[in-house]
Amino acid sequence: MDRTMELIVDRLTKQYNNRIAVDRVSVKLQQGIYGLLGANGAGKTTFMRMLCGILRPTGGTVTFDGMDVSEEAYRAVLGYLPQDFGYYPEFTAMDFLLYLAALKGIPKRQAKKKAEELLALVSLQEGCRKKIKTFSGGMKQRLGIAQALLNDPKLLILDEPTAGLDPKERVRFRNLIEQLGKDRIVLLSTHIVSDIEHIAGQVLMMKDGQMIYQGHWDEEMGDLEEFYLQQFAEEGGERSAEE
Amino acid sequence: MQKNNLGTLYLYELKKIMKRRLVRISLLICMIGVVAVACSGLMGEYYVDGKLQDTHYHMFQVDRAYREALSGRVVDQPLLAEMAEAYGRIPPEEERFTLTDAYQTYARPYSAIFNLVRAWTGMNMEEARYWEADEQELYRLRQAYLEKEWQQMMLSEPEAAFWREKEAQIDRPVTYLYCEGVTRCVLQMVRIISSMMLLFVAVSLSGVFAEEHTRRTDQLILTGAKGKSTVYYAKMLAGISIAVLSTLLLQMIGSILTLCLYGEGGYEAAFQLAYADCSYPLTIGQAYLIECGITLVTAAVTGVLVMVLSEALHSGLATLAVFTGWIIAGLVIQIPLQSRVFSQIWDWMPTTFLSVWNIFDVRTVSLLGHRLVSWQIVPALYLLGGLLAFLAGVRVYRRYQVSGR
């Protein structure tokens, strides 16, 4: 894996009429796990969608190792798990992964092998022939993670990946992310500060579309949750508006 | 380097469409509809004054035997004279002459020729019964009838001249052949199959793009390496395949069943035996192949239009509503022939075009010194329109952004 991989976000902006959802965000991400924190409406999902090329920014650029976000080559190294993860209820888990592998340009034979590996990784190998509509919320979420890893992405973007998982699954998932962060850039957003405390080497914090904190966080710096709450204290906690 | 995977994606797109229960049920209903219409002519009974006269099936068998006896005969003076002589035996005072023994015994065996004379000349029943058979007069009356039709259709003089030339190319005297099966295909089946096709295409393809948005799978697709290019083509190809193959299936069921029930053969008979109003020198078999080909082109182009609309509206239901409204408008709205251009354009719409009278319409188009008839120009326009819609769809698809959820 390339040790110099770099995602450069330069003055990224998204404006809807008179509301700025993301305001001139500039960050440089290198190999490792980045936790993105922010209240509802802070702009996390909008920011992540722009990083994935499915939402056109009003201004600014996103490049990965020189590739622009709009290029096919960029999408070839991207893995994405959206917050509102959609699926085909009549497809089996295996079909679903093979379809998405085809979408990612993976040859058929290689795709089958990779799908089997990933189903085992997320403990879904036994249910691989079952229709997705019969899956529990946690199983669907694990399938979502599996699809994001199909192309061995160098850049893995996970929007609220632990939503819908029970505590046991969350712990297992955190361990999995920890492994994945060893040879790629992983950016995950969450409301749950403890998820980030445990696995993220770097913390990004968004508020009102702006990146208000970015940097390393360790125990000596104090309690991350306390710091997080302090940042939003002025507004009396979380906003309820949707992103 | 990623593989294009168009073939694999195409198969998955086919699977996505066919996995929908609504699609499978709609196809089944269409198939049942085609079978029912094909059989309907032979079902039921014939009553006069509340008294059962015969079954439709038996009546058809009797007529078929008479027509087969006439098959291969040239419609010339001797045959016309035989027909006139047979119809002359019916007592003149009888109003419901088909109930008389004279009709059943002498005239009915010639009813196919009698009906042909009526269709070619526009004579009513009484006029035809007392017509003094004359081969030259038959063709003169046909020409007069056609001239009158052309005038009503607001044809220009060059158009009328074009059709006079075509009429002159038809072999005379015409040879009668038994062609009930293929005639029913040409006149009836194309209309039924096209109606079924339009509804099925609208139902089955309105969700191809829209459902990706409502299911929120669009985010996964668009972040895939091939998600902004190859997938569009795979979806379009799959949708076109479903539209064309389902139409082909309905055509096969309808044609085979009709030919089995009403008798196959007669494909080489003059098209004018089945449809008198068209003067183009075609056989019935050729005319049916033209209809089938145009129906398949229409299915493909309609499929493209439905899918592009579903991507533009992001709603399968809205797409279905718009398209169903268009189909209904095609059934109920008729633009007067006096508004020649609007009437012709309206009749060329995919939702109205597929009927023998529109496909073989006498209104023509002059293009680069060539006079083109409907069945020549309309498929070309459909393909061009389909291509433009396809390209517009690429643009709409690539510009889509996931936001506001």
Side-chain angles (χ1 to χ4, degrees), chain A residues 126-142:
Chain A
E126 282 177 19
C128 73
R129 300 286 165 203
K130 285 185 184 162
K131 286 184 177 175
I132 305 174
K133 66 181 178 187
T134 64
F135 281 16
S136 67
M139 287 165 85
K140 283 175 195 160
Q141 196 70 2
R142 279 186 270 151

Side-chain angles (χ1 to χ4, degrees), chain A:
Chain A
M1 198 51 89
D2 188 358
R3 306 295 293 177
T4 61
M5 64 180 79
E6 192 170 47
L7 177 76
I8 301 173
V9 179
D10 185 24
R11 286 167 291 172
L12 196 64
T13 305
K14 183 69 190 179
Q15 185 167 359
Y16 295 105
N17 299 323
N18 53 2
R19 189 176 73 87
I20 298 175
V22 174
D23 190 7
R24 289 164 294 164
V25 170
S26 296
V27 283
K28 274 186 191 174
L29 309 186
Q30 288 174 329
Q31 184 210 306
I33 301 173
Y34 294 79
L36 179 62
L37 281 169
N40 283 338
K44 301 189 299 292
T45 296
T46 305
F47 177 62
M48 287 183 144
R49 281 175 178 168
M50 288 193 285
L51 296 190
C52 292
I54 55 174
L55 183 62
R56 202 172 301 115
T58 314
T61 56
V62 178
T63 52
F64 181 87
D65 287 352
M67 295 176 285
D68 186 76
V69 68
S70 60
E71 291 175 32
E72 185 178 313
Y74 179 100
R75 294 197 300 278
V77 296
L78 172 71
Y80 176 48
L81 173 64
Q83 185 181 13
D84 43 1
F85 163 58
Y87 59 93
Y88 305 104
E90 297 297 328
F91 273 29
T92 64
M94 179 56 90
D95 267 344
F96 184 69
L97 289 187
L98 291 178
Y99 171 64
L100 286 163
L103 262 171
K104 289 169 191 268
I106 302 168
K108 210 172 178 180
R109 194 171 295 174
Q110 199 182 320
K112 183 120 200 322
K113 196 166 164 249
K114 189 72 190 171
E116 281 166 357
E117 273 174 34
L118 288 170
L119 285 169
L121 184 73
V122 297
S123 307
L124 281 176
Q125 67 270 49
E126 282 177 19
C128 73
R129 300 286 165 203
K130 285 185 184 162
K131 286 184 177 175
I132 305 174
K133 66 181 178 187
T134 64
F135 281 16
S136 67
M139 287 165 85
K140 283 175 195 160
Q141 196 70 2
R142 279 186 270 151
L143 183 63
I145 292 152
Q147 67 77 29
L149 298 172
L150 273 166
N151 55 334
D152 280 327
K154 288 181 182 175
L155 173 62
L156 182 60
I157 296 178
L158 308 168
D159 195 358
E160 306 271 3
T162 51
L165 298 182
D166 61 33
K168 199 175 153 192
E169 280 175 323
R170 265 178 53 207
V171 171
R172 197 168 59 174
F173 181 71
R174 284 199 309 231
N175 295 337
L176 174 62
I177 300 285
E178 213 162 3
Q179 290 299 312
L180 293 170
K182 285 179 181 164
D183 51 7
R184 70 196 82 209
I185 298 170
V186 180
L187 175 66
L188 73 143
S189 76
T190 181
H191 282 107
I192 303 159
V193 179
S194 63
D195 280 349
I196 285 179
E197 266 180 329
H198 282 96
I199 53 172
Q202 299 275 329
V203 174
L204 305 173
M205 210 172 283
M206 283 186 82
K207 185 182 175 186
D208 295 337
Q210 292 183 326
M211 200 62 81
I212 57 167
Y213 179 84
Q214 49 181 301
H216 180 72
W217 193 273
D218 58 36
E219 282 176 14
E220 289 137 36
M221 295 169 75
D223 183 24
L224 177 61
E225 186 147 19
E226 208 169 289
F227 175 73
Y228 173 66
L229 289 172
Q230 272 173 12
Q231 301 308 310
F232 297 93
E234 286 168 25
E235 286 188 19
E238 290 188 356
R239 291 195 323 202
S240 59
E242 267 191 40
E243 276 185 79

Side-chain angles (χ1 to χ4, degrees), chain B residues 54-212:
Chain B
D54 207 345
T55 63
H56 286 157
Y57 180 67
H58 183 253
M59 287 165 72
F60 164 71
Q61 280 185 316
V62 172
D63 284 329
R64 179 176 176 171
Y66 289 143
R67 287 171 192 181
E68 281 178 339
L70 290 170
S71 190
R73 290 193 63 180
V74 174
V75 184
D76 54 5
Q77 185 60 36
L79 181 57
L80 292 170
E82 279 175 42
M83 178 209 74
E85 197 264 329
Y87 272 78
R89 288 179 179 234
I90 301 167
E93 67 278 8
E94 286 290 341
E95 275 185 28
R96 292 195 287 190
F97 72 88
T98 56
L99 300 176
T100 62
D101 286 342
Y103 171 79
Q104 294 295 335
T105 312
Y106 305 111
R108 193 169 172 185
Y110 293 96
S111 61
I113 306 301
F114 181 78
N115 291 334
L116 181 66
V117 169
R118 286 192 57 216
W120 274 23
T121 60
M123 281 193 267
N124 64 31
M125 199 74 91
E126 288 303 300
E127 287 168 337
R129 268 179 71 188
Y130 303 114
W131 178 59
E132 283 183 22
D134 179 343
E135 187 187 333
Q136 296 307 313
E137 176 75 351
L138 172 68
Y139 291 105
R140 194 189 62 73
L141 287 173
R142 170 166 170 76
Q143 192 63 45
Y145 168 75
L146 290 171
E147 296 280 351
K148 198 173 147 196
E149 287 286 302
W150 297 340
Q151 206 174 3
Q152 283 176 359
M153 296 295 285
M154 313 291 289
L155 296 199
S156 63
E157 187 41 42
E159 281 180 309
F162 170 82
W163 285 115
R164 276 184 211 111
E165 192 189 322
K166 291 292 171 198
E167 178 69 16
Q169 290 170 12
I170 298 170
D171 286 339
R172 288 179 183 179
V174 73
T175 301
Y176 176 80
L177 290 172
Y178 178 76
C179 51
E180 185 65 21
V182 69
T183 297
R184 281 181 181 263
C185 287
V186 166
L187 299 182
Q188 186 187 43
M189 212 31 85
V190 68
R191 188 87 183 123
I192 298 305
I193 287 169
S194 64
S195 304
M196 300 287 179
M197 174 273 285
L198 290 170
L199 282 171
F200 177 72
V201 167
V203 168
S204 60
L205 303 185
S206 56
V208 168
F209 286 96
E211 280 192 357
E212 304 291 2

Side-chain angles (χ1 to χ4, degrees), chain A residues 14 16 49 52-56 72 75-76 78 80 82 84-91 95-96 98-108 131 147 242-243, chain B residues 1-5 8-9 11-13 15-16 19 21 212 215-217 219-229 231 235 398-405:
Chain A
K14 183 69 190 179
Y16 295 105
R49 281 175 178 168
C52 292
I54 55 174
L55 183 62
R56 202 172 301 115
E72 185 178 313
R75 294 197 300 278
L78 172 71
Y80 176 48
D84 43 1
F85 163 58
Y87 59 93
Y88 305 104
E90 297 297 328
F91 273 29
D95 267 344
F96 184 69
L98 291 178
Y99 171 64
L100 286 163
L103 262 171
K104 289 169 191 268
I106 302 168
K108 210 172 178 180
K131 286 184 177 175
Q147 67 77 29
E242 267 191 40
E243 276 185 79
Chain B
M1 188 71 189
Q2 284 79 46
K3 209 167 168 275
N4 193 28
N5 282 340
T8 311
L9 288 170
L11 292 175
Y12 274 110
E13 295 301 337
K15 191 173 179 174
K16 275 198 234 172
K19 280 270 181 186
R21 193 176 295 166
E212 304 291 2
R215 277 191 182 137
R216 301 182 173 188
T217 40
Q219 304 172 94
L220 299 181
I221 291 175
L222 292 169
T223 50
K226 306 294 169 187
K228 289 193 177 179
S229 51
V231 168
K235 279 181 178 294
R398 287 191 181 155
R399 288 173 68 88
Y400 176 72
Q401 295 182 63
V402 179
S403 63
R405 288 174 181 164

Side-chain angles (χ1 to χ4, degrees), chain B residues 374-394:
Chain B
S374 299
W375 57 268
Q376 292 167 330
I377 186 77
V378 174
L381 290 176
Y382 281 5
L383 290 172
L384 182 66
L387 181 66
L388 292 175
F390 184 93
L391 296 174
V394 176

